[in-house]
Amino acid sequence: MTERVPYDPFSNPHPAVAVDVILFTIADGELRVLLIRRELPPFEDAWALPGGFVRADESLDEAAARELDEEAGVSVRWLEQLYTFGAVDRDPARRVISVAYFALIDALELSPRAGGDATDVRWCNVRRLPKLAFDHKQIVRYAHQRLRYKAEYAPVAFQLLPKDLTLSELQHVYEVIHGKALDKRNFRRKVLGLEILEPTGESRSEGRGRPAALYRFRRDRFRDLGGGVVLEF
Amino acid sequence: MTERVPYDPFSNPHPAVAVDVILFTIADGELRVLLIRRELPPFEDAWALPGGFVRADESLDEAAARELDEEAGVSVRWLEQLYTFGAVDRDPARRVISVAYFALIDALELSPRAGGDATDVRWCNVRRLPKLAFDHKQIVRYAHQRLRYKAEYAPVAFQLLPKDLTLSELQHVYEVIHGKALDKRNFRRKVLGLEILEPTGESRSEGRGRPAALYRFRRDRFRDLGGGVVLEF
DNA sequence: GGATATTAGTGTCGCGAGGACACTATATGA
DNA sequence: TCATATAGTGTCCTCGCGACACTAATATCC
């Protein structure tokens, strides 16, 4: 139980460190995650989360952002660390631990493009996942749960929308995240009561129907309550 | 931005993986954390959190439990992963990322004992920390915040108490965690309303004063709401 | 241009959770 | 037996939030 000789990971076998990113978006009324197709073994040609090994000269956060950029061509405004998965056998070939991050993006902002070790990339409905490499399905489920949980108290939904937004758009995002309809009046009362939205004075006509007033998120009116460190780039 | 040659951590410089454990207890009306004195550089003789490198054949959870046992002689019922700290320069000598865990223990249950790479061990008031090695002070602050947050919705306090407990003891734990007094009647109404406490029928006389009824925590009545995976050993 | 369809926007009631508040009950020890 | 110390108990009020239906403004279709 007690050992006198210190364990030195630089002269003994030890885990490698990877990061994986769960990138959520909303499109066509669905909550979707970004998947890439692996070019290399293990799990060659399988769908997986974008991610890769951490380099010696970058922080974990930087590694997550870099891998997302390299493999999927996506730059995000922020990333939040989710959990670190460290089961011994989660990679069949080697001992690898993975620090998972999650991020949200407005789907219209840009379209992903495969690169790096990825031969393909796609958005996938979070409730209809294909077979995924490693323990990535479990990681996505965990991320979805955290997203729902976090959406209860933090204005995460604003990351999924353009800067100027309508209350109906915002409500729609919450409905997709939670998977159920919300009452319009209660939703507006609650959101406006938070005093984190500022009317721009403008309005936007979305096809037919009455034009909706536009609002902007006041980041300075809000402080995160914990449960994760949000990193701004 | 895109590179064709995959980065192989087994043939390139890469981070080592450590675990650190923040073990909380309550004693003399204070919230305290367990610290060890380091035997080896870097930060030789400095106070630090118990922890060490992860071995190739053990999960992160197992590594955390092992290090706590080796360095401080403490076995815990459960550990919860807190966060993974991965700044490039958090260890001045080498690139090391640290997966932090936190745990709670009844102070009376056992007394810690230095071992492994630790030459000394002590409980320290969480609000009066000495200089700590690495970024461990930041880690402790983060853990304390998470503990307060988690105590809002999860019955963490039961881990800090013996199996049979009184409502006054339980209230005291919450008061210490939150650093403020609570109303006795409101506290009891709320806790009993959760229906996670079962009266044992016994009572305990604590010196002077009326004897208090004893209760036992009904684990099966409660399910964790997320925000962390709790591991039972 | 008028009818129709479509989306935006608004107020009230009731319930339950939880904070503020003071006294009685039962034991020990002087 | 009296003083002290801790355990235990009930009411009122406020606030958050869920349930619930109609009017307002615009586009489209004839």
Side-chain angles (χ1 to χ4, degrees), chain A residues 168 184-185 188 208-213:
Chain A
S168 294
K184 199 201 297 189
R185 286 163 291 187
R188 293 163 108 90
R208 46 208 148 280
R210 173 174 170 176

Side-chain angles (χ1 to χ4, degrees), chain B residues 129-225:
Chain B
L129 296 172
K131 279 227 177 296
L132 296 184
F134 308 108
D135 51 358
H136 286 186
K137 188 169 283 190
Q138 175 196 350
I139 295 178
V140 172
R141 273 200 297 262
Y142 187 78
H144 185 196
Q145 177 189 325
R146 171 87 140 251
L147 175 61
R148 272 174 295 183
Y149 182 67
K150 197 172 176 67
E152 297 285 336
Y153 69 91
V156 286
F158 295 101
Q159 301 291 345
L160 290 160
L161 290 168
K163 205 168 74 172
D164 288 355
L165 53 94
T166 71
L167 291 179
S168 295
E169 286 168 347
L170 187 63
Q171 179 176 348
H172 181 236
V173 167
Y174 278 96
E175 287 177 335
V176 170
I177 290 175
H178 288 111
K180 65 178 182 185
L182 302 173
D183 181 86
K184 198 201 300 190
R185 284 162 293 187
N186 295 337
F187 180 80
R188 293 163 107 90
R189 165 158 44 91
K190 184 171 176 181
V191 169
L192 293 174
L194 295 174
E195 297 188 331
I196 54 175
L197 281 180
E198 179 182 61
T200 65
E202 315 269 302
S203 64
R204 182 201 297 157
S205 189
E206 201 70 56
R208 46 209 145 280
R210 174 174 169 176
L214 290 173
Y215 293 84
R216 193 164 297 168
F217 174 49
R218 296 272 64 188
R219 181 183 304 274
D220 48 296
R221 297 282 186 83
F222 180 79
R223 57 191 180 94
D224 199 316
L225 301 174

Side-chain angles (χ1 to χ4, degrees), chain B residues 1 9 18 22 33 50 62 69 76 93 101 122 138 141 143 156 163 165-166 226 231:
Chain B
M1 153 175 162
I22 305 95
V33 292
E62 289 162 353
D69 188 14
V76 289
Y101 281 79
R122 63 179 262 224
Q138 175 196 350
R141 273 200 297 262
V156 286
K163 205 168 74 172
L165 53 94
T166 71
L231 305 156

Side-chain angles (χ1 to χ4, degrees), chain A residues 142-162:
Chain A
Y142 187 78
H144 186 196
Q145 178 188 326
R146 171 88 140 249
L147 175 62
R148 272 174 297 183
Y149 182 67
K150 197 172 175 68
E152 298 284 336
Y153 68 90
V156 287
F158 295 101
Q159 301 291 344
L160 289 160
L161 291 168

